[in-house]
Amino acid sequence: MSLQAVLGEAEDIVKKVVPAGVELTRVEFEGPVVVIYTRNIDVFADNQEIVRQLAQGLRRRVAIRPDPSLLAAPEEAEEVIRAIIPEEAKISSIYFDETGEVTIEALSPGLVIGKQGTLLNDIKKKIGWAPKVVRAPPIPSKTVDEIRQYLRSVHDDRQDFLRRTGRRISREPSPGEQYVRITSLGGFRQVGRSATLLMTRESKVLVDCGVDVSAENNGAPYLHAPELMPLESLDAVVITHAHLDHCGIVPILYKYGYEGPIYCTPPTRDLSSLLQLDYIKVAFGEGKKPPYESPQIREAVKSTLPLKYGETTDIAPDIRLTLQNAGHILGSATTHFHIGDGLYNVAISGDIKFERTWLFNPAVNKFPRLETLIMEATYGGYHDTQPSRQEAARRLKDIAKRVLNRGGKLLIPVFAVGRSQEVMLVMEELVRKGEIPQIPVYLDGMIWEATAIHTAYPEYLNNQLRTQIFQTGENPFLSGIFERVDSSDMRANICDDPDPCVVLATSGMMNGGPIMEYFKAWADNPKHTLIFVGFNAEGTLARRIQKQAKEITVNDRGKPLTLRLKMDVETIDGFSGHSDRMQLMNYVGSMEPRPERVLIGHGEEHKCMDLASSLYKKFGMETRAPYNLETLRLK
Ligand SMILES: [Zn+2]
Ligand SMILES: [Zn+2]
């Protein structure tokens, strides 16, 4: 539908619902949203029914905004706000967004609002922007701040980008026979470099574009496959979550001609850019040439259209996307695609945890409609049973008590995101309840920053933790035991310090990162213990150690260094962000509606095949474990 046609239709709908005199000044596509500008914003604010009717009538997401002529320039508006709000409110940041809303973040939100909202009303009258007040996150995050500032600095560019994207989504679909296909571009019959292409006659959507960090060569998915090329023909990229095996190669798309949007949750956007920056830093540190540089990461941030869980949105003329909680890490999502007008429905699980954890609610497995499910099988093998979260915590406590009481150190390799925060919560409880002495827990390699991002998005955590975070004095992440390692000198001191301590460091699978420094220093001392709490892919150092290698050769500033491994090695299952075999079976078994077909990936070959055959035997649906580079017609 053209803009003119949409404006005409919107005016008709508004005329039917509200009294005469309401003036619509302009209409614009902004990404998937139809934005209608008006001089009479209060009429809409007081009457949500009009907005609902507009969305229904136009069959699109609709946003009503004040005509730009009513808004003060952001710099000027910020001065007004700071003059009105008393200093004791302690404003930590003010940011203006595309919606005509200004968010005021403060340590004492009550003082910003004023008695019966007097201050806010005053602000609105003077600057036109609608003020929204939020409590400042308890741990400031550099990433969140920098992304906000960056988006503000590229505001005009981004407006253009949103318009272009919106017009592309609204193009008239070409007539003819419709079909739905998927091509497995990476991460099938393996873990790493996840990438799945969803194709219809009209559109192409790439779901995830990860890197296999354990690969000898570049570890990228098959991006040169003819189905994906040229990249300009791609309508959208959707990222399930921020782990590098799902988002590690995304910025490269902007190097080779992709100019379109990325859809993911707001925390996934922030965490992805944090992990991508670290990925290129680690590559540089190892003397390798990274596949992209920071300008492409910024381009990806600029091109992201954040979506909350449950918010349905058009991403192509014939495809609607909804993200749902996947329970795996902060902001992780299962993607649901509704194709055509009731033609077909596909869901891609991403990595899922189908159990409530300390951090998240379990993965959502209810959809309005579903024909094909593409799911992960990390622990899909017949024997992949995992203990519960409670049991995992108990084992960690037992090991911690034993090792720390004998004067040893605990070294825990972790992904910065997810497991780190769960292990932090368990350690904090141990110390708080006096079960182990008040030892320092050092966090090295982005874990601190990742934790800060968790507290910036409390609505993505489970209710209990959310409440704890906001009750001052009870936020477990603010416990005095946690110390951030922020220099190589500090790291060297910790390595030499004889006293017991706990170190959580990246990378989780020990292919580089600060963990290696501690490992080199402590590997030959039987007093210390190395504990694995996450999944280790085939080919990684962590996997070799788990397989009881006695001698390990590591890279020491470009030279090989052989270590004799005498420290204890323990593996604690049950902390994983992945569902075990039983949970995966239950996930499909209790899914509503039950899919007709299940395609399985993100697992070692035999696990994928094993899960495929078990699901078929138990539930009778068609199942398959595709190879990379297969194209399957779904409809
Ligand atoms: Zn993951
Ligand atoms: Zn994964």
Side-chain angles (χ1 to χ4, degrees), residues 212-224:
D212 181 352
V213 285
S214 67
E216 287 292 317
N217 52 15
N218 71 4
Y222 293 94
L223 299 180
H224 294 285

Side-chain angles (χ1 to χ4, degrees), residues 191-192 194 241 243 245-246 328 351 378 578 602:
V191 177
S194 284
H241 66 286
H243 279 151
D245 60 321
H246 298 260
H328 172 64
D351 294 356
T378 319
H578 296 276
H602 199 288

